[in-house]
């Protein structure tokens, strides 16, 4: 099994990033990750401003997958997510949805015990580890790891968890997969610009799909098929996620255009991933039982 260590990381996703590991399709790889603050906040007297934006959202990688070429799809099966025993949250004025309300820079260290985040003496929250940043290199230019997009990136989708499978575009040879920004738990919206940020490691299996056309990024879980989309506004992101799901239903399941639209209005759930990054991210969820009725399986 291959391991990529956390100090092998990038702060942007780019075709120009030096490859840190090459693997064959079907390989299992462990990505060790920093938290989104590059593990620099260890005490509650350290504010967000002590880190600086140039250290935010490091992503371990990139991983080069042999045989992956532009136009292919990278299939990333998330086999496991292990997190450390404590995480951190911060607030600061002018950041996040409540940036005009919070009173100052506050840091909170939150312990993980028996599968729960110990928020305070009354509130213990069941953890659900997820990946905030995961993506491939764009075809051109550099995209900061803190920005989501068609390549994936900082989507902050709380459904990217153990047991799910993420499909990403291959824009350059080898795909150049990077990931980081784990959360022990996070609500939809990520309203104060962070979840429970935590270091850890992710075990994945990578494969390459050729000759298929899915709207991307696409996530498959045991219960849902999910289209993830990012745009300048939440309205635009929601519309794009919905259009992508409609396209999938028409092209993959063969429903007529109008009927597919009606179906989505009955069983398609449009949800918010995050509203605090440079682009907003939404997702459209379709129950897996709909696919089962058509005996359809994603590759």
């Amino acid at each position: 099994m291959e391991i990529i260590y956390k100090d092998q990381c990038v702060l942007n996703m780019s075709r120009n990033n030096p490859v840190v590991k090459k693997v064959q399709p079907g390989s299992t790889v462990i990505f060790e990750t920093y938290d989104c603050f590059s593990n620099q906040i260890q005490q509650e007297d350290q504010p967000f401003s002590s880190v600086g934006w140039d250290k935010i959202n490091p992503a371990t990688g990139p991983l080069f997958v042999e045989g992956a070429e532009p136009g292919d799809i990278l299939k990333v099966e998330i086999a496991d997510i292990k997190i450390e025993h404590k995480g951190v949250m911060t607030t600061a004025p002018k950041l996040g949805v409540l940036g005009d309300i919070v009173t100052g820079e506050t840091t909170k260290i939150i312990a993980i015990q028996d599968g729960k985040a110990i928020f305070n003496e009354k509130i213990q929250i069941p953890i659900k580890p997820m990946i905030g940043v995961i993506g491939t290199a764009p075809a051109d230019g550099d995209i900061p790891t803190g920005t989501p997009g068609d390549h994936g990136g900082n989507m902050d989708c709380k459904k990217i968890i153990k047991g799910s499978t993420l499909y990403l575009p291959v824009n350059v040879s080898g795909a150049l997969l990077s990931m980081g920004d784990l959360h022990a738990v996070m609500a939809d919206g990520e309203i104060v610009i962070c979840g429970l940020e935590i270091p850890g490691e992710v075990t994945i299996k990578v494969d390459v799909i050729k000759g298929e056309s899915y709207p991307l990024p696409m996530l498959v879980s045991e219960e849902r098929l999910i289209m993830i989309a990012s745009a300048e506004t939440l309205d635009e992101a929601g519309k794009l996620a919905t259009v992508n799901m409609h396209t999938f239903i028409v092209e993959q399941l063969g429903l007529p255009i109008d009927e597919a639209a009606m179906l989505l209005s009955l069983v398609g759930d449009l949800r918010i991933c995050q509203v605090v990054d440079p682009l907003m991210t939404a997702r459209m969820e379709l129950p897996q039982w709909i696919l089962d009725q058509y005996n359809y399986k994603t590759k």
Side-chain angles (χ1 to χ4, degrees):
M1 187 178 299
E2 301 285 353
I3 301 176
I4 305 179
Y5 296 100
K6 61 179 179 288
D7 59 344
Q8 299 173 296
C9 63
V10 296
L11 290 167
N12 59 64
M13 294 186 178
S14 169
R15 67 186 305 141
N16 299 316
N17 286 333
V19 172
V20 299
K21 190 79 68 176
K22 289 188 176 184
V23 299
Q24 295 292 326
S27 296
T28 299
V29 184
I30 294 175
F31 285 72
E32 186 184 75
T33 66
Y34 289 113
D35 70 16
C36 81
F37 305 113
S38 296
N39 290 10
Q40 292 188 98
I41 299 178
Q42 297 295 322
Q43 309 178 149
E44 292 190 340
D45 61 359
Q46 292 178 272
F48 172 82
S49 59
S50 69
V51 179
W53 286 104
D54 60 339
K55 298 291 186 181
I56 299 299
N57 283 330
T60 304
L63 174 72
F64 185 103
V65 183
E66 300 280 5
E69 296 296 338
D72 295 340
I73 295 173
L74 190 70
K75 179 180 180 181
V76 184
E77 298 176 64
I78 301 166
D80 200 9
I81 302 176
K82 294 180 179 178
I83 57 174
E84 294 193 4
H85 64 281
K86 65 177 182 178
V88 62
M89 297 190 74
T90 64
T91 61
K94 307 303 180 183
L95 295 179
V97 176
L98 301 178
D100 293 330
I101 298 175
V102 298
T103 56
E105 290 196 72
T106 302
T107 296
K108 188 174 181 68
I109 303 295
I110 299 176
I112 307 296
Q113 296 178 7
D114 300 322
K116 294 180 180 179
I118 311 303
F119 187 77
N120 60 29
E121 66 276 5
K122 295 182 180 294
I123 299 174
Q124 300 182 9
I125 304 168
I127 63 171
K128 196 165 188 178
M130 54 158 285
I131 305 170
V133 173
I134 179 169
T136 54
D140 298 296
D142 299 350
I143 299 178
T145 51
T147 301
D150 295 343
H151 69 296
N154 194 24
M155 297 179 288
D156 284 317
C157 174
K158 72 176 188 179
K159 299 296 185 177
I160 304 178
I161 60 173
K162 176 181 177 180
S164 64
T165 299
L166 182 64
Y167 296 81
L168 292 166
V170 177
N171 301 306
V172 302
S173 293
L176 302 187
L177 176 70
S178 303
M179 69 183 73
D181 185 34
L182 303 186
H183 304 108
V185 61
M186 191 194 83
D188 281 335
E190 197 187 27
I191 61 162
V192 296
I193 74 163
C194 67
L196 181 45
E197 308 294 335
I198 198 162
E201 63 177 40
V202 181
T203 303
I204 63 155
K205 179 182 176 183
V206 288
D207 221 324
V208 178
I209 299 174
K210 294 183 178 289
E212 186 59 82
S213 178
Y214 294 147
L216 301 172
M218 182 177 82
L219 184 69
V220 175
S221 69
E222 183 177 347
E223 297 180 348
R224 298 263 166 167
L225 182 138
I226 301 169
M227 296 297 169
I228 306 171
S230 300
E232 290 189 359
T233 70
L234 194 55
D235 286 350
E236 292 171 317
K239 182 175 181 178
L240 180 56
T242 302
V243 169
N244 285 349
M245 184 65 81
H246 181 265
T247 298
F248 179 92
I249 292 171
V250 171
E251 293 183 352
Q252 301 293 331
L253 303 187
L255 271 71
I257 290 174
D258 291 358
E259 190 172 326
M262 293 177 189
L263 178 65
L264 275 181
S265 201
L266 295 176
V267 301
D269 289 319
L270 183 60
R271 303 187 186 278
I272 295 170
C273 291
Q274 60 78 27
V275 293
V276 293
D277 294 335
L279 297 178
M280 308 293 104
T281 306
R283 66 183 186 271
M284 170 57 78
E285 301 184 356
L286 184 73
Q288 278 284 355
W289 67 262
I290 297 291
L291 277 66
D292 293 342
Q293 294 302 306
Y294 288 83
N295 296 314
Y296 181 88
K297 298 289 184 184
T298 50
K299 292 186 179 179

